[in-house]
Each structure stands twice: as structure tokens, then as C-alpha cells.
Amino acid sequence: MSEDGAVGIRCSGVSRQYNDGNRIITVLHDFTERFRPGETVAVTGPSGSGKSTLLGLLAALDYADHGTIHVGATELGSLSSVEQTELRAGRISYLGPDHNLLPILSVYENISLALSLKRLSEPEIDRRIQESLRSLELSELAHRRPTELSSGQRARAALARALASDNPVLIADEPTAHLDARDATRVAGLCATFASDGRHLVILATHDPAVASRADRVIRLRPQAPGAGPDDP
Ligand code: ADP
Ligand code: MG
């Protein structure tokens, strides 16, 4: 981690395979890439090309079969699952396809819970929550539970939580999948703005060319041939 808290990610020769009954599926093969603080990177590619797999690895939700991933100075392959969770709480906000909002808590309480893991004063927590809700036009819905929101509002609430957490890395898997064009543009813009202060790295998987076009650069994944792997010609 650099002095201002910014964090980059380095992937070197990363592979991930799944055992699909009687055959091995190679989803990522020898993936090498460097992600720098201050950039927004869009990961695109057809369905099944490994976008979610890659993001899960970068967010320390899964382990690579080969290669190394460093988040700052931390090599993810060496982490226990408890250490993975600690890394996410302190450095990585992960927005998954199902948003991971707790159904028994309001939007406000969901964000507050994420911030309670950090050493912040109550007024600072409240300030951050109000600001993130405002930026996503959710202030009026702060008291509602996730089940009382539309899917687009839930997606925005999950992004509000990530922005309020202010972790140096934001990894979002299809963050605009449930949004109309206006909301998608706004979310893509907020992600880009989040990164543009130079302290945050944003990596998002997207099918949406309009969202990808807002990113600083695009990484396009290609589906691997069945069975392809290190030993194949
Ligand atoms: P994308 O997000 O680009 O649609 P995914 O990373 O979800 O792609 O999936 C890539 C490939 O890996 C797909 O063929 C999918 O079926 C397979 N896959 C993903 N997760 C698993 C798993 N846990 N077990 C077996 N195969 C999986
Ligand atoms: Mg996916």
C-alpha cells in the first residue's frame, strides 16, 4: 500500500480451471496484467469468457490454480479465508451480481454495517452514508429494506455502500445489469469519478459498450477452447 492508501493489483500467469465431471475446463489461462490506482478498467467478453471468474480472483473470493495475484504487497494465494475477508473489509469493495445486501436491514443500516468495520466516528459514518445516498439519488429510500426496492435501486444501494466504504479498490461484476440507460450512465460516471482522484482503482465487468466506453481501458476476455491448458499445444 502506498502512503496515500492507494493500491494496485498485479496478476502474473494466472490460470483458473474448473473440474466439470469428467473434464477440466480452463477459464483463465496465463493471465498477466497490471491494474493501477486511478484507473477504471472494463473487463468485457462474451458470456462464459471468465469475467466473473477473474473478478472473483481479484476480489480474493477464490484462489488461482496457477500464477500469483498481488493486491498491493499482499499475495492472495497465501491468504486464509479469514485473511481474505479482512482484506476485502479493509481494501476491496466487491459488488457481486446479487448485491449482497442484508434483507433484514434498511439501505442505511446496510451501509452503516459495512462502515462499522472501519474505525470511524458516528458523525463521519453518517456523513459518508448521506453523501453516498445523495450521489445515487437514494436519500428518500434510506429507510427501505432491499426487498422494498426495484432491482435497479438495489444495484444503486450496493454501489452507495461501496462508495461510502471508500476502499482503495472497487471490483464490480456487471454493476449496470439491472439499470436503465440513464442509471447505467450515471453509475458508470460515478465509478469513473471514484477512480479519477488517483487513489481508487475500479475494475468492472460489463456487457454494456456504453459503460465500457467510460473506462480508461478495456480488457477483452476470449472464451478458452474446451480442455485448453498449459499442456496443450
Ligand atoms: P462470465 O462472467 O464471462 O460469463 P464466468 O466466469 O461466470 O464467465 O464463467 C466462465 C466459465 O466457467 C463458464 O463456462 C462457466 O460455466 C464456468 N464456471 C464458472 N464457475 C464455475 C464453477 N464453480 N464450476 C464449474 N464451472 C464454472
Ligand atoms: Mg459473469
Side-chain angles (χ1 to χ4, degrees), residues 22 27 29 35 46 77 83 96 118 122 128 130 157 163 175 178 203 207 210 216 227:
N22 53 4
V27 177
H29 174 53
F35 302 90
E83 289 167 333
K118 299 173 179 289
E122 288 295 323
R128 284 202 197 183
Q130 304 292 2
L163 297 182
H178 301 289
I203 303 170
H207 273 107
D216 297 309

Side-chain angles (χ1 to χ4, degrees), residues 18-20 25 27 45-54 173-174:
Y18 294 115
N19 192 338
D20 182 25
I25 304 175
V27 177
S47 190
S49 58
K51 302 182 295 296
S52 296
T53 298
L54 174 62
D173 196 350
E174 308 270 3

Side-chain angles (χ1 to χ4, degrees), residues 1 39 86 133:
M1 189 144 59
E39 51 173 14
E86 285 170 357
L133 290 174

Side-chain angles (χ1 to χ4, degrees), residues 53-154:
T53 298
L54 174 62
L55 266 51
L57 291 171
L58 300 178
L61 291 161
D62 186 18
Y63 294 98
D65 294 305
H66 302 280
T68 57
I69 302 173
H70 285 85
V71 173
T74 306
E75 204 275 292
L76 300 189
S78 64
L79 299 183
S80 67
S81 62
V82 171
E83 289 167 333
Q84 286 181 322
T85 306
E86 285 170 357
L87 180 83
R88 281 195 303 279
R91 297 217 209 156
I92 302 173
S93 291
Y94 172 77
L95 279 184
D98 54 6
H99 310 314
N100 315 108
L101 294 165
L102 287 180
I104 56 161
L105 299 182
S106 69
V107 171
Y108 187 101
E109 290 163 341
N110 262 284
I111 303 175
S112 181
L113 178 67
L115 297 192
S116 69
L117 302 170
K118 299 173 179 289
R119 289 194 206 94
L120 299 170
S121 66
E122 288 295 323
E124 172 63 8
I125 289 177
D126 185 62
R127 190 194 64 74
R128 284 202 197 183
I129 297 174
Q130 304 292 2
E131 187 183 315
S132 69
L133 290 174
R134 227 179 358 257
S135 70
L136 285 143
E137 288 179 26
L138 286 168
S139 303
E140 307 292 309
L141 304 178
H143 62 286
R144 291 217 199 155
R145 292 183 179 183
T147 50
E148 298 163 340
L149 301 174
S150 71
S151 56
Q153 289 166 340
R154 272 198 295 280

